[in-house]
Amino acid sequence: MSRPRRVAGTKRAVAGAAAVTAAAVLSACSGGTSTAAGEPGTATGAPKAGGDARLLITQAIFSLDPAAVQTGNYGAQGGYMQALYDVLFYADIATNTVTGQLGESIEPVDDTCKNWTLVLKPGLKFTDGTPLDAEAVVFNWERIQDPETASPQAPKLAGVTASAKNDTTVDIRLKTANCAFDRIVANSLGYIASPTAIKASGKQYAEKPVGAGPFKLAQWNRTANELKLVKNENYLTPGEPHLDSVTFATAGNAATVIDSIVSGQVQLANNVSTPTAVDDAMAAGLGVTTLKPSGGAAYQFNEKKAPFGELCARQALAYALDPAAIDKALNQSQKVGGPTYGLMDPSSAFYDESLKFPSADPAKAAAAVKECEAKGNPLHFTITALPGTDQKLAEYVASRLNQVAGFEVKVEIITAADAYTKIFVNRDFQITSYPGGMKFHDPDPLFGDWLSSGGATNLTGYATKEMDDALVAARGSRDEKDRIAAYRKVQEIWTTDLPFWIWGKPISFFVHDAKLTGVEPVNGGLDILLTQKLAYTG
């Protein structure tokens, strides 16, 4: 198929959706673009001005500094970062195009994709009055590149040189050609902070963040993990945002989320990790926005810790488990879920029926166990899980594996507040499904984040020259046929090396107040909401 021309415009993404049971992310192309918006209870009618909304996310709020963003999906940091800073660009899920928000366009200078030109909309200002111009973009990116900043996003700007050509134009030069650089900007590098505020506050900047987004900081209650933002009266688009305020809060008891929306205490949630969240929301007449991406529920292996540094250990686990049995045991929903055996949804241009993950083969599992034992690598390990559905999955998997000769498996339960530090920072796990639920609509840019040896969110420690070379090749062309062929090679390597093992269909949705409109996710896989569009109707 021909690849859509990726030129930033003013078009908004159509209703798509969000939230995966184990907050994780990739991002992507023709991988499941069918949506199911307008479910029972979804708001209709013109948006009204005013009102407040309480929006639940899944992770603790630990920083308001764009340079500190580790996981940019909605349920982690992307939700409130967009509200504070907006985005330069976003990936429209329906059309698979990179679209302008604060930015006007981002295009390669030529087909080599080594040099790019980024153009901003004119007259942009931060809430402190500082111009959001080309110099501001360069300042923010150079700050990310500065080793003293220790930004998780630094690998995405490795070897990149950016300079202001004029007030609205940034000249970008890459060390390595990358025809998906616009998607990297859209997903990870589009939160721009006021240079004036950063210089004034220094290392304390996160306490007094200043952006150009639809909302600005009112109060950050760290103890309660709540962030209240109020309307930016001077926002870019007249009449937006519609709401007077939004409060982001970390979800506590997942079992009470639907009731909280019904009672009006909460207006929106994603990543509701209960087996029947979508079913219950529909039965209650709430708004439901769903999406059908590629990827799925996954376990990731820490290859820097025994036993999963050996391929035989990863293969033994995969062959010892049956995706259909896992789904039958744990999935109570009639609306979402199901087992899966491959990486791509059948609707994806990247789908290849022959590429499947190993599963449910006792003879091969036994052979892999013996191979590991012969290497002095016994399959004794602990699954790290969060409370709720993740814990139930871990306990079920442990019980099944412990029935297979050679396995000795325990389960460790950690809190959502501890998960970021333990897993993202310290890499203190052997195997976990946090944040292993992987969903995407195009392999770029987050395949590189997860699978390349220098990937920004490569938590597994997986690193091979073969995969690195395959990813470079995949980003070397804008032609869709070339990309499909290159990403077939990436899939072959992935399903063979198993840095992740995917077993279940991705579960992706928002549930929300029936009168709340504008729930239209962008950046598929990260599922960011443009909070300026949120409004009440009726």
Side-chain angles (χ1 to χ4, degrees):
M1 79 181 204
S2 61
R3 181 168 178 77
R5 185 170 180 262
R6 298 183 292 179
V7 179
T10 57
K11 175 165 43 79
R12 257 187 342 169
V14 300
V20 64
T21 20
V25 287
L26 300 179
S27 154
C29 156
S30 322
T33 54
S34 62
T35 62
E39 299 285 4
T42 299
T44 58
K48 292 184 176 181
D52 311 299
R54 186 175 177 84
L55 315 175
L56 295 188
I57 56 178
T58 56
Q59 293 188 19
I61 301 167
F62 70 91
S63 178
L64 306 182
D65 185 345
V69 170
Q70 176 75 66
T71 305
N73 64 306
Y74 173 85
Q77 296 155 275
Y80 55 83
M81 284 292 174
Q82 185 282 328
L84 277 168
Y85 298 101
D86 209 342
V87 289
L88 293 177
F89 303 92
Y90 63 84
D92 185 308
I93 292 175
T95 63
N96 193 36
T97 55
V98 171
T99 300
Q101 183 58 26
L102 298 175
E104 190 73 54
S105 64
I106 179 167
E107 288 290 310
V109 173
D110 54 40
D111 289 342
T112 67
C113 298
K114 197 165 185 179
N115 299 328
W116 291 70
T117 300
L118 185 160
V119 179
L120 297 168
K121 292 179 179 177
L124 300 174
K125 290 186 181 294
F126 296 101
T127 56
D128 63 358
T130 302
L132 197 173
D133 55 14
E135 291 286 1
V137 174
V138 172
F139 176 88
N140 275 260
W141 287 7
E142 288 182 345
R143 179 169 176 257
I144 288 173
Q145 290 175 315
D146 186 346
E148 291 190 9
T149 306
S151 173
Q153 301 304 321
K156 298 173 185 179
L157 286 169
V160 175
T161 301
S163 60
K165 188 174 181 179
N166 54 45
D167 286 350
T168 59
T169 306
V170 182
D171 180 71
I172 304 165
R173 299 180 181 272
L174 312 184
K175 183 178 181 180
T176 302
N178 186 345
C179 291
F181 184 73
D182 55 344
R183 293 182 179 276
I184 293 176
V185 174
N187 277 256
S188 308
L189 302 172
Y191 304 126
I192 305 300
S194 166
T196 301
I198 292 173
K199 292 173 184 177
S201 299
K203 294 182 178 180
Q204 303 304 312
Y205 167 75
E207 306 296 317
K208 298 179 181 179
V210 177
F215 296 91
K216 56 186 179 180
L217 179 64
Q219 184 181 20
W220 181 9
N221 185 332
R222 292 165 179 74
T223 302
N225 265 317
E226 291 188 2
L227 180 69
K228 182 174 182 179
L229 308 177
V230 295
K231 182 176 184 175
N232 173 9
E233 298 288 353
N234 298 311
Y235 179 62
L236 166 69
T237 307
E240 294 181 348
H242 301 291
L243 297 174
D244 293 326
S245 74
V246 290
T247 297
F248 290 89
T250 304
N253 184 353
T256 66
V257 168
I258 301 300
D259 288 341
S260 296
I261 299 176
V262 171
S263 67
Q265 299 175 62
V266 170
Q267 282 66 53
L268 178 143
N270 86 321
N271 196 32
V272 183
S273 56
T274 60
T276 58
V278 170
D279 308 60
D280 296 342
M282 288 183 176
L286 298 179
V288 179
T289 304
T290 60
L291 185 69
K292 188 181 180 183
S294 289
Y299 269 113
Q300 60 180 344
F301 306 99
N302 188 342
E303 297 188 26
K304 298 298 184 181
K305 290 181 178 286
F308 294 112
E310 295 285 353
L311 176 59
C312 58
R314 306 192 296 273
Q315 290 176 328
L317 179 142
Y319 283 127
L321 296 172
D322 181 358
I326 297 174
D327 181 74
K328 183 178 180 180
L330 299 177
N331 184 21
Q332 302 171 33
S333 175
Q334 301 298 311
K335 305 291 184 183
V336 295
T340 191
Y341 300 89
L343 181 61
M344 299 292 178
D345 185 84
S347 65
S348 171
F350 298 96
Y351 176 73
D352 186 322
E353 187 178 8
S354 68
L355 297 174
K356 298 183 183 300
F357 289 103
S359 63
D361 191 322
K364 289 184 178 179
V369 169
K370 289 182 179 179
E371 179 183 344
C372 274
E373 289 176 341
K375 293 180 176 181
N377 189 55
L379 299 182
H380 301 168
F381 57 88
T382 298
I383 303 174
T384 299
L386 273 64
T389 302
D390 193 29
Q391 177 177 347
K392 292 178 181 178
L393 170 64
E395 291 172 346
Y396 173 82
V397 167
S399 70
R400 299 299 299 173
L401 292 176
N402 283 330
Q403 295 176 38
V404 178
F407 281 92
E408 188 175 303
V409 185
K410 299 178 181 178
V411 175
E412 170 193 32
I413 307 303
I414 61 174
T415 67
D418 292 337
Y420 173 80
T421 300
K422 184 175 179 64
I423 295 174
F424 274 98
V425 178
N426 297 334
R427 312 290 165 92
D428 182 17
F429 70 95
Q430 291 171 287
I431 177 176
T432 183
S433 62
Y434 175 93
M438 310 177 79
K439 59 193 179 79
F440 54 92
H441 297 272
D442 189 284
D444 286 314
L446 290 175
F447 268 36
D449 287 351
W450 285 87
L451 297 171
S452 67
S453 56
T457 47
N458 181 340
L459 305 184
T460 65
Y462 172 71
T464 70
K465 185 178 185 301
E466 185 182 21
M467 178 61 85
D468 285 347
D469 290 346
L471 289 168
V472 169
R475 292 175 172 178
S477 174
R478 303 185 92 196
D479 180 80
E480 193 73 354
K481 290 183 179 179
D482 292 343
R483 296 182 75 234
I484 289 170
Y487 275 112
R488 189 188 190 285
K489 178 64 174 178
V490 171
Q491 291 182 71
E492 288 177 349
I493 299 169
W494 187 339
T495 53
T496 299
D497 290 354
L498 292 179
F500 302 85
W501 179 67
I502 294 178
W503 62 269
K505 291 180 180 178
I507 299 175
S508 182
F509 61 89
F510 280 100
V511 292
H512 50 90
D513 186 296
K515 293 184 177 181
L516 188 69
T517 188
V519 184
E520 302 175 0
V522 300
N523 284 3
L526 300 183
D527 299 326
I528 304 302
L529 295 182
L530 301 180
T531 50
Q532 61 269 27
K533 306 297 181 185
L534 296 178
Y536 292 107
T537 64

